[in-house]
Amino acid sequence: MARRIVYLLLLVLAGLTAASPEYLSAQRKIDRLRADRVPAGSKVTLTPAELNAYVRAQAPTIAREGIRDPRIELGDSRATAHAYIDFPKLRRSQGQPMGWFLSRLLSGERPVRVEGRIVSSAGRATVEVDRVEVSGIPLTGSALDYVIDNYLHSYYPEAKIGKPFDLAHNIDKLEVRPSGVDVLVASSPSKWRKVAQTPKAAARR
């Protein structure tokens, strides 16, 4: 789940090498979160350098080809992802070749920029995509829907844009700042988690 949290901060992408100290530090922190070894009520901070190193190292496991030089910038409750993407090549790496027209239209490597807001509390988070640019041109309407449906959801079918999703491992919230991402572990199970475990709540689902 911690890995998915990092990816949702970017929605798609991010910088260094797998052998770097930043990557190793990020891996240790994420492993502790995933193994529920972080004490209740404590905080784990992932710095921009650690996030960039981790996601850059993980990128080849997500897409064998089609993505180059991914990086991320953090703001106050915001994240901006940058990368060079070859959309037809990325689709082929998924085993789903793009149609002739779109393949011609989107051929070649293009700079992509994704801006989003991350808000979370009480064991839930919401990611809002504010802007997507391809080669400096904003995507809106059906073009934006196409990119989300055919690229983001292809790699992350559980990703929910604009809708709250549950944080696992008793994570209470994520605080995104220019200096890093603070992952706050709840001191006790969140109220919504207790409700979700009751028979009535299960029956309503």
Side-chain angles (χ1 to χ4, degrees), residues 41-59:
S42 61
K43 175 179 70 175
V44 174
T45 299
L46 292 164
T47 68
E50 289 172 337
L51 286 172
N52 277 310
Y54 184 80
V55 181
R56 171 66 67 87
Q58 292 295 316

Side-chain angles (χ1 to χ4, degrees), residues 136-196:
I137 301 173
L139 296 185
T140 59
S142 58
L144 179 57
D145 291 340
Y146 177 86
V147 169
I148 290 175
D149 291 341
N150 289 275
Y151 290 92
L152 178 61
H153 286 163
S154 292
Y155 289 103
Y156 310 110
E158 297 182 0
K160 297 179 180 179
I161 305 301
K163 298 179 181 179
F165 60 90
D166 302 340
L167 298 173
H169 304 292
N170 204 33
I171 293 173
D172 184 59
K173 63 179 178 177
L174 308 171
E175 294 183 346
V176 182
R177 302 189 177 108
S179 58
V181 177
D182 293 334
V183 182
L184 282 74
V185 178
S187 55
S188 60
S190 300
K191 181 179 179 181
W192 70 265
R193 286 195 178 104
K194 293 178 181 178
V195 171

